[in-house]
Amino acid sequence: MSYAHTVGSVTHRFDDLKTLLARATPRRSGDELAGVAARTAKERVAAQMALADLPLGEFRRELLVPYETDEVTRLIVDELDGAALANVAHFTVGEFRDWLLGEQATPAALAELAPGLMPEMAAAVSKIMRVQDLIAVAAKIRVVTRFRTTVGLAGRLSTRLQPNHPTDDPAGIAASILDGLLLESGDAVIGINPASDSVESVVTLLRMIDRVRTTLRIPAQSCVLAHVTTQMEAMRRGAPVDLVFQSIAGTEAANASFGVNLGMLEEAWQAARDLKRGAPGDEGGNNIMYFETGQGSALSANAHHGMDQQTCEARAYGVARHFRPMLVNTVVGFIGPEYLYDGKQIMRAGLEDHFCGKLLGLPMGCDICYTNHAEADQDDMDALLTLLGTAGVNFIMGVPGADDVMLNYQSTSFHDALYVRGLLGLRPAPEFEAWLERHRPELPRAVSLLASGGNAEELFRA
């Protein structure tokens, strides 16, 4: 089906829904690279106006990737809860935007709506929203998950402590962990990106984190962000796996480029649940998956099926939703300026991702980041950090000095988290906060003992 809208004396035509969505997307370098972006600002506005008049039901009638050839499409369609969508099903995209910004879209109403929304609907409405709209709606949505800490509560902001090391040196990683703990970081997860994907290295790191966690009695969860198959083998070898990580994307072909499919994720999900490492009363772990995403991943794999990168990203959230994850992290500026050129594009993308994920019922965090060859700097990241804090983001990254020495990109530091918590009156997860309050006096001595090879466990006995 084709679509059209007239601006002045010029009628702009769009061959199909996929094209309409792409042309309506705010400008970004990845869509221009893919040849799907609007060619002029007038065409973009015409597409946005045509999209605003589009009934939400059109997304069920015209699938962007065929059901028969894509398992992500099948998952989205088969799990859709029609009853949950009933109250807004008759809306156009523009009317849906107005409803989201209105008083009827209460936190309870938005939570009930989430299972009925297709990711493409969330992507569509975000394309006709201003930055303040994306923040205002997302701020109404709380998605709460729990493993050993409870993440996503109102008035809270959690962090992933990211102690990466270029050679996976356990001592260097441990030093960064302890540095982060002293600066109140790690309540979302203590998560290491390993330099090596070998099972032996991953098992060593998992055991090291667990030893620090149990010695200091930290109410936190750990993760080593190796490939999901490596983590499954680590589980088979008896490694202490808390959260299972995997990068995911919005099409079957893009996930295949990561070496995964839905069946593999399901197998890992069940294996981790069987370990029963969650909090007392929830040892089976209802929230045990940690997913990372990012606009441009499908395009970089030539697996975007002609879609714009933000719509592909929203479809990745359709994958994540199935597994009831503990954490979903959009690594917004990591792929590079080929996909998000500058600070303005990174900022807009981060707010879109957070909005779409929350709208679909996901516990969204954001790695507020950029690569050194992007037209962005730490001032841009400060702005996005502050905006996401007001929008109610579940968690951000805590990287020593904001400079990841293994992945070679710029993120947010332990001090950045303290800044936004202080500015907005936010606190860590309650279990982690209680631990900090109880053990803050012993932490410096414990860090010194651990660094010198001493036994700090005595300091943390009940």
Side-chain angles (χ1 to χ4, degrees):
M1 180 176 177
S2 62
Y3 306 88
H5 192 87
T6 301
V7 178
S9 60
V10 178
T11 297
H12 298 266
R13 301 189 183 279
F14 310 99
D15 292 339
D16 51 27
L17 182 54
K18 187 185 304 183
T19 302
L20 177 64
L21 287 166
R23 300 290 197 269
T25 305
R27 184 181 181 186
R28 60 208 53 188
S29 53
D31 293 336
E32 293 173 340
L33 179 67
V36 302
R39 289 156 290 193
T40 65
K42 287 184 179 179
E43 185 183 32
R44 181 174 294 109
V45 170
Q48 289 171 339
M49 295 178 75
L51 185 60
D53 291 336
L54 187 75
L56 289 177
E58 196 63 32
F59 292 95
R60 300 192 71 170
R61 287 187 287 272
E62 187 177 343
L63 300 178
L64 302 187
V65 186
Y67 182 94
E68 296 77 16
T69 60
D70 185 85
E71 65 175 3
V72 173
T73 299
R74 292 194 291 275
L75 179 70
I76 291 168
V77 172
D78 294 349
E79 294 201 336
L80 206 59
D81 184 345
L85 186 66
N87 288 338
V88 302
H90 59 287
F91 286 163
T92 64
V93 173
E95 290 168 338
F96 184 41
R97 171 192 173 273
D98 294 343
W99 181 86
L100 288 170
L101 291 166
E103 293 181 357
Q104 287 183 301
T106 62
L110 290 165
E112 291 173 5
L113 172 65
L117 283 175
M118 295 179 70
E120 294 87 347
M121 296 174 183
V125 75
S126 77
K127 296 176 192 297
I128 62 168
M129 298 176 86
R130 293 171 57 184
V131 160
Q132 66 176 246
D133 299 339
L134 298 171
I135 294 170
V137 176
K140 296 193 279 188
I141 304 171
R142 306 308 311 183
V143 182
V144 179
T145 55
R146 183 170 186 253
F147 195 84
R148 293 190 188 95
T149 58
T150 306
V151 175
L153 294 167
R156 307 279 177 169
L157 173 67
S158 295
T159 61
R160 169 189 160 191
L161 203 172
Q162 184 169 304
N164 296 344
H165 192 279
T167 63
D168 286 342
D169 177 54
I173 290 171
S176 292
I177 291 174
L178 296 171
D179 184 26
L181 292 173
L182 287 168
L183 292 167
E184 304 182 8
S185 185
D187 54 327
V189 65
I190 300 172
I192 304 168
N193 295 93
S196 167
D197 201 59
S198 75
V199 177
E200 292 74 17
S201 178
V202 169
V203 169
T204 296
L205 295 177
L206 284 165
R207 288 178 175 158
M208 183 272 293
I209 305 176
D210 205 55
R211 187 163 57 251
V212 172
R213 183 187 66 80
T214 55
T215 298
L216 302 185
R217 308 210 172 187
I218 310 167
Q221 38 282 341
S222 64
C223 183
V224 174
L225 284 70
H227 193 271
V228 69
T229 54
T230 306
Q231 294 168 85
M232 284 194 283
E233 180 57 31
M235 283 187 261
R236 284 190 281 268
R237 297 189 187 185
V241 175
D242 289 343
L243 304 186
V244 174
F245 163 80
Q246 182 54 49
S247 293
I248 56 172
T251 69
E252 180 178 343
N255 284 323
S257 75
F258 292 141
V260 298
N261 55 47
L262 298 182
M264 191 182 295
L265 295 176
E266 188 85 30
E267 181 184 354
W269 186 33
Q270 295 301 335
R273 286 168 62 88
D274 289 344
L275 295 181
K276 300 185 182 299
R277 292 180 55 83
D282 188 29
E283 291 86 352
N286 283 323
N287 307 125
I288 55 162
M289 301 298 282
Y290 174 22
F291 293 120
E292 288 194 343
T293 66
Q295 290 192 28
S297 59
L299 172 58
S300 68
N302 195 28
H304 61 297
H305 294 273
M307 290 183 286
D308 66 271
Q309 62 187 39
Q310 192 257 334
T311 300
C312 285
E313 173 74 2
R315 282 171 54 93
Y317 304 151
V319 175
R321 182 167 60 177
H322 171 76
F323 296 97
R324 303 196 302 274
M326 177 71 187
L327 309 168
V328 179
N329 178 33
T330 170
V331 192
V332 65
F334 183 74
I335 302 181
E338 300 85 357
Y339 305 96
L340 295 170
Y341 179 73
D342 56 16
K344 180 179 177 65
Q345 292 187 12
I346 292 170
M347 190 178 306
R348 171 82 195 191
L351 294 168
E352 288 171 349
D353 295 350
H354 178 253
F355 162 84
C356 288
K358 282 282 187 71
L359 193 61
L360 293 165
L362 290 175
M364 290 301 297
C366 184
D367 190 342
I368 301 161
C369 64
Y370 64 101
T371 58
N372 288 313
H373 61 311
E375 291 295 321
D377 58 28
Q378 214 64 36
D379 285 346
D380 297 313
M381 300 306 102
D382 286 349
L384 179 53
L385 168 65
T386 307
L387 293 174
L388 282 168
T390 64
V393 70
N394 279 27
F395 67 99
I396 61 170
M397 302 298 107
V399 176
D403 183 4
D404 193 301
V405 295
M406 194 278 281
L407 293 174
N408 293 309
Y409 78 115
Q410 309 303 310
S411 185
T412 46
S413 71
F414 307 136
H415 299 84
D416 293 331
L418 294 177
Y419 147 74
V420 78
R421 281 176 178 160
L423 177 71
L424 301 175
L426 304 173
R427 293 146 58 198
E431 302 88 350
F432 192 81
E433 182 182 42
W435 175 80
L436 282 170
E437 290 176 354
R438 181 175 183 183
H439 294 295
R440 195 184 304 274
E442 298 99 88
L443 273 175
R445 186 178 168 203
V447 168
S448 178
L449 282 169
L450 286 170
S452 63
N455 183 7
E457 188 170 1
E458 188 70 31
L459 294 175
F460 290 84
R461 286 185 179 160

